[in-house]
């Protein structure tokens, strides 16, 4: 005879609750749905079922403790329907299947559960200046809420009757081989109640579509793609459940002049060759107005200048990033005679080589032009 206590891993003095807990853990571990094709686990699952079918029933347990046998008495019930009813297998298997498949199994006697409302998403497009300064935006959010006419019941009279199919539980139980499981009732759609006269306003759904105007605060320093939650502003819940939340997603439009890098703002500033060589004082446009910037003599193309604290605010802080100016030196494409003479003189003075004013092709073009 097998030692049922040893199979369940408990002592002979274990309480019925301890037996139930041990069995549930072992059944979950060795269940065939978790061990496809594992013969050893399948055999173990059968053994622990056999052990609990005996020890889980106080009468059978007393018999087993006294005689070492189980299920031989006149009221034993064995592995039939009476045996499982006595040991509470229905509740345990509902727990096991709940682990595997969720709320679709079990809970048949509890009625429809409160359901949280759906979350909503709202996208807001703003420009970079608005993201820098922060602002309040008024938005209109369409959503489903409980019908005020029938108070969310879907019934014109406010009354419903008990579903005859599921007896108000919202679930119907059926036998599937070895197990008794449950599913949502198709007649009442899991609500447990039947509407005799549907509400005209919501057509029996209990929900109506409304548009609610909200004021959304956009904080200074917000980034592109950032999401904010407004608690309780989603759709209404069902069966007394709480409402969902509203998620506001920020999209920042591309700026024609500035590029954002974290909390720094980057811009290109064109300067002439002479300004780069001799230096210049510039007026730079920033998010916070015009600022003066001194570009020293000898500035090179692509050189950067950092204007402290003139960039984007750090989210939730008073400090800001920087405004970075990248110099873009413009080379003139056409020179008049005076400009060319001056540049040639500069090049000669620096000992630099340069192309002559006109090459052989230009001379050939000149000959043909004069002959015509």
């Amino acid at each position: 005879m097998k030692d049922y206590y040893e199979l369940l891993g408990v002592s002979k003095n274990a309480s019925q609750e301890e037996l139930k807990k041990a069995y549930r853990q072992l059944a979950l571990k060795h269940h065939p749905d978790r061990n496809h094709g594992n013969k050893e686990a399948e055999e173990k699952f059968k053994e622990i079922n056999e052990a609990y079918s005996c020890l889980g029933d106080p009468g059978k347990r007393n018999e087993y403790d006294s005689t070492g046998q189980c299920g031989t008495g006149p009221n034993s019930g064995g592995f039939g329907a009476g045996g499982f009813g006595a040991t509470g297998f229905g509740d345990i298997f509902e727990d096991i299947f709940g682990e595997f498949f969720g709320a679709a199994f079990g809970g048949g006697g509890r009625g429809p559960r409160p359901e949280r409302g759906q979350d909503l998403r709202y996208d807001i497009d703003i420009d970079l200046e608005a993201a820098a300064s922060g602002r309040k935006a008024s938005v209109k959010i369409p959503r489903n809420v409980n019908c005020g006419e029938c108070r969310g019941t879907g019934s014109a009279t406010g009354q419903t009757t008990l579903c005859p199919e599921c007896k108000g539980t919202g679930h119907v139980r059926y036998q599937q081989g070895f197990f008794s499981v449950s599913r949502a009732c198709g007649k009442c759609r899991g609500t447990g109640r039947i509407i005799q006269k549907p509400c005209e306003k919501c057509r029996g759904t209990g929900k109506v579509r409304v548009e609610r105007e909200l004021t959304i605060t956009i904080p200074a320093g917000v980034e592109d793609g950032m999401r904010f939650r407004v608690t309780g502003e989603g759709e209404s819940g069902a069966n007394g459940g709480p409402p969902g939340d509203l998620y506001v997603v920020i999209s920042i439009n591309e700026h024609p002049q500035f590029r954002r890098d974290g909390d720094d703002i980057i811009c290109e500033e064109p300067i002439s060759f002479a300004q780069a060589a001799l230096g210049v004082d510039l007026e730079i446009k920033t998010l916070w107005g015009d600022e003066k910037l001194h570009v020293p003599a000898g500035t090179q193309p692509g050189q950067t200048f950092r204007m402290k604290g003139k960039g984007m605010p750090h989210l939730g802080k008073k400090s800001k990033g920087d405004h970075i100016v990248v110099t873009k030196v413009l080379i003139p494409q056409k020179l008049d005679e005076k400009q060319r003479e001056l540049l040639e003189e500069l090049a000669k003075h620096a000992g630099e080589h340069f192309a002559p004013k006109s090459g052989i092709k230009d001379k050939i073009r000149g000959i043909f032009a004069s002959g015509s």
Side-chain angles (χ1 to χ4, degrees):
M1 184 67 182
K2 298 174 182 177
D3 187 336
Y4 288 154
Y5 289 104
E6 185 178 341
L7 281 171
L8 293 178
V10 296
S11 69
K12 292 186 177 182
N13 297 323
S15 66
Q16 291 299 122
E17 188 61 34
E18 289 173 331
L19 282 169
K20 182 178 179 180
K21 183 178 180 181
Y23 167 73
R24 185 179 182 278
Q25 291 176 343
L26 290 170
L28 285 170
K29 179 180 179 182
H30 297 288
H31 195 280
D33 285 342
R34 283 186 172 176
N35 302 273
H36 294 291
N38 188 333
K39 296 295 183 182
E40 185 179 344
E42 185 178 339
E43 188 61 33
K44 186 71 174 177
F45 185 69
K46 291 178 181 178
E47 288 180 346
I48 59 177
N49 279 332
E50 179 183 337
Y52 188 72
S53 71
C54 176
L55 300 182
D57 181 280
K60 293 181 184 180
R61 183 178 180 181
N62 288 334
E63 182 185 352
Y64 177 76
D65 290 342
S66 301
T67 66
Q69 301 293 321
C70 191
T72 59
N75 300 318
S76 297
F79 285 92
F84 284 116
T87 58
F89 266 84
D91 291 340
I92 293 176
F93 281 128
E94 282 182 6
D95 290 343
I96 293 173
F97 278 103
E99 291 279 346
F100 293 138
F101 307 109
F105 295 90
R110 301 185 184 98
R113 297 178 180 178
E115 295 181 13
R116 183 178 177 273
Q118 293 289 322
D119 292 332
L120 297 177
R121 169 176 171 152
Y122 189 88
D123 295 333
I124 294 182
D125 291 338
I126 60 175
D127 55 31
L128 190 61
E129 285 80 3
S133 60
R135 65 181 53 181
K136 294 183 182 295
S138 182
V139 297
K140 293 181 178 180
I141 310 294
R143 60 180 181 170
N144 292 321
V145 299
N146 288 331
C147 175
E149 194 74 23
C150 64
R151 297 183 180 179
T153 64
S155 171
T157 61
Q159 297 178 345
T160 57
T161 58
L162 201 68
C163 175
E165 187 76 20
C166 65
K167 305 297 188 294
T169 64
H171 290 77
V172 290
R173 188 175 292 277
Y174 66 99
Q175 198 74 23
Q176 183 175 327
F178 187 65
F179 306 109
S180 176
V181 294
S182 66
R183 59 177 171 78
C185 176
K187 189 174 183 65
C188 65
R189 298 181 181 179
T191 65
R193 310 292 295 182
I194 298 295
I195 298 172
Q196 300 295 338
K197 186 179 180 182
C199 171
E200 293 183 2
K201 185 175 182 180
C202 65
R203 299 181 181 178
T205 64
K207 305 285 184 182
V208 290
R209 194 75 168 169
V210 299
E211 194 172 63
R212 177 175 168 83
E213 188 167 354
L214 298 174
T215 299
I216 305 297
T217 300
I218 301 173
V222 66
E223 295 184 20
D224 185 64
M226 192 168 281
R227 188 175 72 163
F228 298 93
R229 183 175 67 179
V230 185
T231 305
E233 292 296 344
E235 295 192 345
S236 297
N239 305 318
D245 298 330
L246 170 67
Y247 288 90
V248 179
V249 182
I250 304 297
S251 179
I252 301 177
N253 299 322
E254 186 175 344
H255 196 277
Q257 185 177 349
F258 300 149
R259 178 170 61 86
R260 182 175 180 176
D261 182 15
D263 288 334
D264 291 337
I265 296 296
I266 301 173
C267 75
E268 278 191 339
E269 189 66 27
I271 58 174
S272 69
F273 170 77
Q275 288 173 328
L278 302 174
V280 63
D281 288 325
L282 300 176
E283 216 171 59
I284 304 296
K285 178 184 177 182
T286 74
L287 291 170
W288 313 104
D290 293 343
E291 298 286 338
K292 292 187 180 299
L293 173 68
H294 175 69
V295 177
T299 293
Q300 301 300 305
Q303 191 167 334
T304 62
F305 297 89
R306 187 176 292 268
M307 305 173 74
K308 291 285 186 180
K310 299 301 178 181
M312 292 290 293
H314 301 307
L315 188 63
K317 300 179 181 179
K318 293 183 179 180
S319 57
K320 299 184 183 73
D322 301 332
H323 187 105
I324 300 172
V325 178
V326 182
T327 56
K328 182 180 180 181
V329 179
L330 301 177
I331 306 299
Q333 294 181 326
K334 293 182 179 180
L335 299 172
D336 59 28
E337 288 295 329
K338 183 63 176 178
Q339 289 172 328
R340 183 174 182 84
E341 288 177 8
L342 291 173
L343 284 175
E344 286 178 352
E345 186 66 27
L346 177 62
K348 290 176 182 178
H349 184 75
E352 296 174 349
H353 296 288
F354 56 89
K357 182 177 181 181
S358 58
I360 184 67
K361 291 183 179 180
D362 293 319
K363 290 181 179 179
I364 293 173
R365 288 196 195 98
I367 293 171
F368 282 101
S370 60
S372 60

